Amino acid sequence: MAMVEESRTRRERSGRQARRAQRSHGDRGLGRPYIVRNIPTYDILSEENLVRIEGAADRILAEIGIEFRDDPVALDHWRRAGAKVDGVLVRFEPGMLREVLKTAPASFTQHARNPAKSVEIGGKSVVFSPAYGSPFVMDLDRGRRYGTIEDFENFIKLAQASPWLHHSGGTICEPVDVPVNKRHLDMVYAHIRYSDRPFMGSVTAESRAEESIAMARIVFGERFTDENCVILGNVNVNSPLVWDATMTTALRAYARANQAAVVVPFILGGAMGPVTNAGAIAQSLAETMAGCALTQLERPGCPVIFGNFLSSMSLRSGSPTFGTPEPAIGSMVIGQLARRLNLPLRCSGSFTTSKLPDGQAMNESTMSMLAAVHCGANFILHSAGFLDGLLSMSYEKFVMDADFCGALHTYLDGVVVDDNQLALDAFREVGPGSHFFGCAHTMANYETAFWDSGIADNEPFEKWEAAGSTDAATRANAKWKQMLADYEAPPLDEGIDEALRDFIARKKAQAHDAWY
């Protein structure tokens, strides 16, 4: 009898999962390769004020300038383009960078090795990607610790298993158990092996960027890679107003291979930029335009993403703060500025300074994610897992954030108005004073009517209490473990896999391990 009951429970659970999967797919369901927004962006500044910010950025570029350190090729690009180069300091006449940026595409496709999962970046598309760059990982069982290659692979598997994320991401966490000069090979391989979604490569050295691209060529082929975007590189300005050679040489490596650089200032108000929002936005615009324009001087027409990372800080302690309202509303303005440049936008994410996947974490993350959605961001890095001011990648927060990304799919779909949605037949059937619970319209629509959270508890208090009174983080803990247990790797051509492994082995054999 126990075996019969267990079998019945498995069938019922399987049936619920199948119904949820059915609801989760389709043109307006979850599980789409990317979202096409059906709600407008939220434009908060007038034309007059946008022009004032652009004018301030132009003055920063012309009067103060930006340093390009230790990259003579970049300086030569600027000289030929007509900028004023004095040592490593480059000044730009108003309008110059905007003219250079006219060759950059307004949107492009990043191809996945599974063509059904390729993403469009630009226009009305929205792509969710995991958080990026944390040295630590965290879960409720083992607490905070340095990340390993096993953790790195786990997060790729969780992203692949989630119907609410569209991109495999990049350095989801730092695998500190692999030598610094070789870990990029293992990370790119993990993205290719454990996911069939688009992914990002290394930017920590020009050679590592080139080797990341070389691995992508093994997967997609030389000619296809030269003609199409198959890998992204996320490069950061050394704010304020400095581009260093580590970033510019990596940026140029992606550009000359016709791959997309995501160009991102990292401005903490009061530290790497002014405490005032308008000033930080003007600085961000100046720094980002310069980086984006450099890609076009390297290879005109290559894809590039206009990035932004505004944040605040506690002026009492000097600690960074994330998920606060000033950077969130600043993202709205960045969205307007990026659209005026006709460039795809990367903005915001699930930012938080909280040290646990708690109420603070989700309050701050919701603030910044809604800002990204409303500002018109096309590529949203840090969509899942961000904790501890980006120092920690949290397993539980990853699941909680991904669940919220599921809700945002429905939110971005907006409101459909058609005969079925207006439901006049239901009103005729039910009439005044009755209920809609069992009417024909409800029965025909109930499986797709509402978004269905994978971790929320919507049961009555007594039933929740009887089931153990678990909070959201505890439910997320069980969820990620189940997701990893159920994970199945997408198929990978054996010849490609062998070629990748051979490439990695040869590259690793060429250098001694370096841990710094």
Side-chain angles (χ1 to χ4, degrees):
M1 180 63 69
M3 292 180 64
V4 172
E5 288 298 324
E6 183 179 349
S7 176
R8 181 183 299 150
T9 300
R10 283 200 302 269
R11 287 198 305 272
E12 290 173 351
R13 186 182 300 118
S14 176
R16 288 195 299 271
Q17 290 171 345
R19 289 191 296 273
R20 176 173 288 172
Q22 185 178 19
R23 292 194 297 270
S24 296
H25 292 76
D27 292 341
R28 292 177 61 81
L30 307 178
R32 289 167 279 180
Y34 59 93
I35 302 169
V36 177
R37 68 164 53 242
N38 200 39
I39 62 174
T41 57
Y42 188 27
D43 298 339
I44 65 169
L45 279 196
S46 66
E47 173 72 15
E48 178 186 1
N49 283 326
L50 290 171
V51 169
R52 289 192 69 183
I53 288 177
E54 289 172 336
D58 284 344
R59 293 191 65 177
I60 291 169
L61 290 164
E63 299 173 15
I64 301 165
I66 296 179
E67 290 187 0
F68 286 81
R69 297 178 181 175
D70 303 316
D71 187 355
V73 175
L75 295 174
D76 286 342
H77 277 317
W78 291 125
R79 287 190 189 95
R80 287 193 295 271
K84 299 176 182 178
V85 180
D86 181 10
V88 297
L89 183 67
V90 183
R91 294 186 177 92
F92 312 86
E93 289 298 318
M96 174 192 164
L97 295 182
R98 289 181 178 83
E99 189 65 30
V100 173
L101 286 169
K102 287 181 179 179
T103 60
S107 64
F108 63 93
T109 300
Q110 186 187 359
H111 294 268
R113 67 179 183 88
N114 178 353
K117 296 184 178 179
S118 297
V119 298
E120 187 75 10
I121 299 178
K124 290 187 175 182
S125 67
V126 182
V127 174
F128 292 145
S129 181
Y132 181 112
S134 299
F136 299 101
V137 299
M138 186 186 297
D139 63 59
L140 295 185
D141 303 294
R142 293 189 287 168
R144 188 177 189 253
R145 60 195 185 280
Y146 280 110
T148 65
I149 193 63
E150 180 182 7
D151 291 308
F152 187 89
E153 293 169 354
N154 282 345
F155 282 115
I156 292 173
K157 293 174 183 178
L158 290 174
Q160 171 73 10
S162 172
W164 309 301
L165 299 174
H166 314 113
H167 202 279
S168 192
T171 306
I172 301 183
C173 68
E174 282 287 350
V176 300
D177 55 339
V178 182
V180 171
N181 62 330
K182 299 177 181 180
R183 66 180 58 158
H184 64 288
L185 300 167
D186 292 325
M187 290 191 287
V188 172
Y189 176 75
H191 279 296
I192 296 168
R193 178 68 187 87
Y194 297 111
S195 174
D196 59 359
R197 289 175 170 167
F199 60 93
M200 308 177 81
S202 176
V203 296
T204 53
E206 183 178 19
S207 62
R208 296 170 196 168
E210 291 173 335
E211 287 168 0
S212 299
I213 296 164
M215 292 176 71
R217 289 193 180 106
I218 292 172
V219 177
F220 292 93
E222 294 272 351
R223 181 174 178 180
F224 188 89
T225 300
D226 188 60
E227 296 174 352
N228 299 276
C229 179
V230 299
I231 188 170
L232 304 181
N234 189 72
V235 296
N236 290 113
V237 186
N238 191 359
S239 302
L241 304 176
V242 173
W243 275 98
D244 63 75
T246 300
M247 293 289 98
T248 57
T249 56
L251 175 151
R252 292 191 297 100
Y254 280 93
R256 65 174 169 267
N258 200 29
Q259 305 306 302
V262 189
V263 180
V264 189
F266 179 39
I267 299 174
L268 290 174
M272 289 95 87
V275 295
T276 48
N277 225 349
I281 292 167
Q283 175 188 340
S284 175
L285 177 61
E287 293 175 341
T288 310
M289 282 199 300
C292 290
L294 184 57
T295 70
Q296 299 307 296
L297 298 180
E298 185 75 23
R299 179 166 175 166
C302 72
V304 65
I305 299 175
F306 184 102
N308 176 66
F309 195 121
L310 294 175
S311 194
S312 53
M313 63 185 298
S314 171
L315 296 177
R316 288 187 296 271
S317 67
S319 297
T321 52
F322 296 93
T324 50
E326 294 86 1
I329 201 67
S331 295
M332 305 294 185
V333 181
I334 293 291
Q336 291 180 268
L337 295 168
R339 283 188 290 281
R340 288 161 72 88
L341 291 169
N342 205 27
L343 293 175
L345 172 64
R346 178 227 138 165
C347 204
S348 254
S350 290
F351 297 167
T352 180
T353 321
S354 181
K355 314 307 180 289
L356 292 171
D358 57 9
Q360 177 188 339
M362 297 313 294
N363 282 343
E364 293 171 346
S365 292
T366 300
M367 170 75 76
S368 55
M369 275 298 282
L370 285 177
V373 162
H374 287 297
C375 81
N378 305 111
F379 181 69
I380 304 180
L381 199 61
H382 305 307
S383 291
F386 188 120
L387 203 63
D388 186 22
L390 193 52
L391 290 176
S392 300
M393 187 74 173
S394 163
Y395 280 82
E396 289 79 22
K397 179 83 166 13
F398 189 98
V399 171
M400 295 163 72
D401 287 337
D403 194 65
F404 185 59
C405 287
L408 289 174
H409 279 69
T410 299
Y411 188 83
L412 281 160
D413 281 339
V415 176
V416 174
V417 180
D418 57 24
D419 289 345
N420 177 62
Q421 293 290 318
L422 289 170
L424 291 176
D425 287 344
F427 286 102
R428 294 186 184 100
E429 179 183 345
V430 173
S434 189
H435 62 76
F436 290 78
F437 195 73
C439 77
H441 182 268
T442 299
M443 299 306 294
N445 288 276
Y446 81 95
E447 289 190 328
T448 57
F450 302 122
W451 172 69
D452 193 6
S453 170
I455 60 171
D457 188 296
N458 300 312
E459 300 292 345
F461 182 90
E462 292 76 14
K463 192 171 182 179
W464 167 79
E465 188 175 44
S469 306
T470 57
D471 60 16
T474 303
R475 295 193 295 273
N477 178 269
K479 179 72 173 180
W480 69 256
K481 292 174 181 175
Q482 188 63 55
M483 290 172 70
L484 290 180
D486 294 341
Y487 167 83
E488 294 183 7
L492 176 63
D493 180 88
E494 291 183 6
I496 291 175
D497 192 32
E498 183 178 351
L500 287 167
R501 289 177 179 272
D502 178 67
F503 178 87
I504 292 169
R506 285 188 288 108
K507 290 297 179 181
K508 286 187 173 183
Q510 292 172 5
H512 295 295
D513 292 352
W515 294 93
Y516 55 90

